[in-house]
Amino acid sequence: MSDLELKMQVHRTALYNCRLCPEMIGPVVTGSPVFSPILLIGQAPGDKEGGFGKPFAWTAGKTLFKWFERIGLDEEAFRARVYMAAVCRCFPGKNPTAGDRVPNKDEIENCSAWMKAEIDLLKPELILPVGKLAISQLMPVNKLNEVIGKLHRVSFHGHEAEAIPLPHPSGASTWHRMEPGLTLLESALSILQHHNAWRQVCRS
Ligand code: SF4
């Protein structure tokens, strides 16, 4: 085992044992420990992901993986070749009105230490933040229309990378199913398809 692989193993053992946020509901959910040039960042797992032990394992994932399959990587290949992280790695619980609770500032801050460790280990060339909360960790975002469909240069936890923001594929969101979201999503996927890091993981 290389030094880097050992560090990744130590990191993931500590991450899986994290119980820092009292309102968060375990287990910790994160993707495969793949040394990829691409890092995907979701928001937080839903109530089903813990049972499957992997992110985007339910309905939103079906939509997300259809997008990636159209440009060359099916779900199995994507999970094996892209590191899948999230702003928070535990289920935040249900919102009393509808949907899942959005992680609070302290929870985001707590969990960002795990992200920083992964950035240090992976030094990703390309970051794919999925949904407004994830995108807002990398760049200011007022409206999704202003950031999706473009390639961005970002500095994230002291690391310089490129980022292609994507909308959240949740069925509760209509943004990616209506104009201008439809067209902007297609632009984002086209930029991704031609990106050097994507071509690299498709070949691997
Ligand atoms: S959300 Fe992150 S920081 Fe909070 S308990 Fe889960 S893994 Fe730990």
Side-chain angles (χ1 to χ4, degrees), residues 41 87 126-157 159 161-166:
I41 306 175
V87 175
L126 178 63
I127 302 175
L128 304 176
V130 178
K132 199 168 184 180
L133 184 76
I135 298 168
S136 68
Q137 308 307 305
L138 285 97
M139 64 190 77
V141 46
N142 182 25
K143 290 182 178 168
L144 290 179
N145 302 7
E146 292 163 5
V147 294
I148 292 181
K150 296 175 188 154
L151 180 69
H152 301 257
R153 190 84 204 156
V154 295
S155 177
F156 189 49
H157 291 299
H159 173 71
E162 289 185 316
I164 302 173
L166 295 171

Side-chain angles (χ1 to χ4, degrees), residues 43-109:
Q43 175 169 298
D47 60 346
K48 304 283 194 302
E49 273 73 13
F52 288 96
K54 56 187 180 183
F56 287 105
W58 204 240
T59 49
K62 287 192 179 14
T63 301
L64 183 73
F65 291 117
K66 269 188 206 156
W67 297 345
F68 296 139
E69 188 160 3
R70 278 186 13 226
I71 58 168
L73 279 185
D74 65 16
E75 176 175 348
E76 191 185 347
F78 188 93
R79 289 189 185 280
R81 300 180 200 181
V82 173
Y83 196 103
M84 298 180 74
V87 175
C88 286
R89 314 297 171 99
C90 297
F91 173 49
K94 290 287 177 193
N95 200 319
T97 45
D100 294 346
R101 180 175 69 82
V102 177
N104 64 39
K105 211 165 144 264
D106 289 345
E107 291 163 341
I108 292 170
E109 175 66 25

Side-chain angles (χ1 to χ4, degrees), residues 15 18-21 24 28 88-90 110-111 114:
L15 170 57
C18 180
R19 302 289 181 270
L20 203 53
C21 308
M24 283 290 192
V28 168
C88 286
R89 314 297 171 99
C90 297
N110 288 344
C111 222
W114 299 118

Side-chain angles (χ1 to χ4, degrees), residues 107-125:
E107 291 163 341
I108 292 170
E109 175 66 25
N110 288 344
C111 222
S112 71
W114 299 118
M115 184 80 72
K116 172 158 181 17
E118 285 157 349
I119 292 282
D120 290 346
L121 284 165
L122 298 168
K123 300 191 174 23
E125 185 183 331

